[in-house]
Amino acid sequence: MVVEFGAEIDPEINALVHRTTAAIEHAQLDGVIELVPTYRSLMLHYDPLLTRPDTLQQAILSLDVDDSGEATDQRIVEIPTLYGGEYGPDIGFVAENAGMSESEVIEIHSGMDYLVYAMGFSPGFPYLGGLDPRLNTPRLTTPRTLIPGGSVGIAETQTGAYPVASPGGWQLIGRTPLKLFDPESDPPAVINAGDRVRFVPLPDEDAYAETERQVQDGIYSVVTRKI
């Protein structure tokens, strides 16, 4: 079952999606197996042996969901990122396309909190909204067959981070040493839909390597802040 809230990408619509998701989780509706929030809709997977579509629809419509303000329990997740060089091979193109220096690209990209509108196309991949229009950059003409996990990129009006190695066509401007998705962890994803993300520049490769070592040793704590 899909609940639709609008037809465009809008922070207020997305906040309502996540508040409804939270309300359904709190209500523990019979038969609901999984909730999948997107940019402007919410998909419910349910067991037809435990509930009927009309019963589920009525239960959703009867929920008390506040339709104003921000989604509840929002947090900012800080993602340490080394920009440029072999970690961000396309930052030069992004800078040229924007008519600015690479350092300006880094300053602008790391200078704001991005709303996580939805998760996909691979496990743990955050689609982030709020990119400064000056950094809007077209996708690669020919996608790469393999992008390292942790790569931070830009595609058109969005930015995001590849949680695992995969093909992709985004312009790569940096990389994080964090393991953004680990099926052995609980929860497996570092970032969730509805969060906000702040990319925090690492000063050099030594800082990247040290953070990566801490992640691998299981002693790194992801920095999060409540909004």
Side-chain angles (χ1 to χ4, degrees):
M1 179 177 292
V2 177
V3 185
E4 297 193 346
F5 298 87
E8 65 275 348
I9 297 176
D10 180 87
E12 292 184 4
I13 291 175
N14 190 250
L16 182 55
V17 171
H18 294 297
R19 286 198 301 276
T20 304
T21 301
I24 293 174
E25 290 176 339
H26 180 74
Q28 298 183 332
L29 301 181
D30 290 339
V32 175
I33 300 171
E34 183 181 12
L35 301 173
V36 185
T38 71
Y39 281 86
R40 48 90 192 178
S41 65
L42 172 63
M43 176 179 286
L44 295 87
H45 294 267
Y46 67 92
D47 186 341
L49 299 180
L50 298 178
T51 188
R52 293 170 49 87
D54 54 346
T55 301
L56 184 57
Q57 179 179 353
Q58 186 57 47
I60 295 170
L61 292 174
S62 300
L63 289 174
D64 182 15
V65 180
D66 180 20
D67 62 358
S68 63
E70 294 292 332
T72 57
D73 297 327
Q74 277 195 312
R75 61 177 188 158
I76 298 173
V77 182
E78 294 189 359
I79 305 298
T81 303
L82 183 57
Y83 287 90
E86 65 177 287
Y87 299 88
D90 302 319
I91 196 170
F93 177 81
V94 173
E96 181 180 0
N97 184 73
M100 60 181 64
S101 67
E102 293 184 13
S103 61
E104 288 175 314
V105 170
I106 296 171
E107 181 180 1
I108 293 171
H109 186 264
S110 63
M112 59 181 53
D113 301 325
Y114 298 96
L115 174 62
V116 184
Y117 275 96
M119 305 295 289
F121 66 100
S122 63
F125 187 101
Y127 283 97
L128 307 178
L131 182 68
D132 189 300
R134 291 174 292 177
L135 298 185
N136 291 358
T137 311
R139 296 169 183 264
L140 294 174
T141 303
T142 302
R144 293 181 172 91
T145 57
L146 186 63
I147 288 177
S151 294
V152 176
I154 291 174
E156 307 295 347
T157 62
Q158 295 185 109
T159 186
Y162 290 82
V164 295
S166 67
W170 292 37
Q171 304 279 358
L172 305 183
I173 62 172
R175 191 184 308 167
T176 178
L178 298 191
K179 197 168 186 180
L180 298 177
F181 180 81
D182 182 359
E184 301 300 323
S185 297
D186 183 22
V190 171
I191 303 168
N192 300 314
D195 285 341
R196 291 187 181 269
V197 167
R198 168 74 67 135
F199 294 98
V200 180
L202 291 169
D204 50 40
E205 291 189 28
D206 288 341
Y208 182 98
E210 174 58 23
T211 303
E212 186 175 46
R213 182 192 66 78
Q214 293 181 23
V215 170
Q216 292 173 346
D217 291 345
I219 60 175
Y220 184 84
S221 296
V222 178
V223 178
T224 62
R225 293 179 282 118
K226 288 290 186 180
I227 298 178

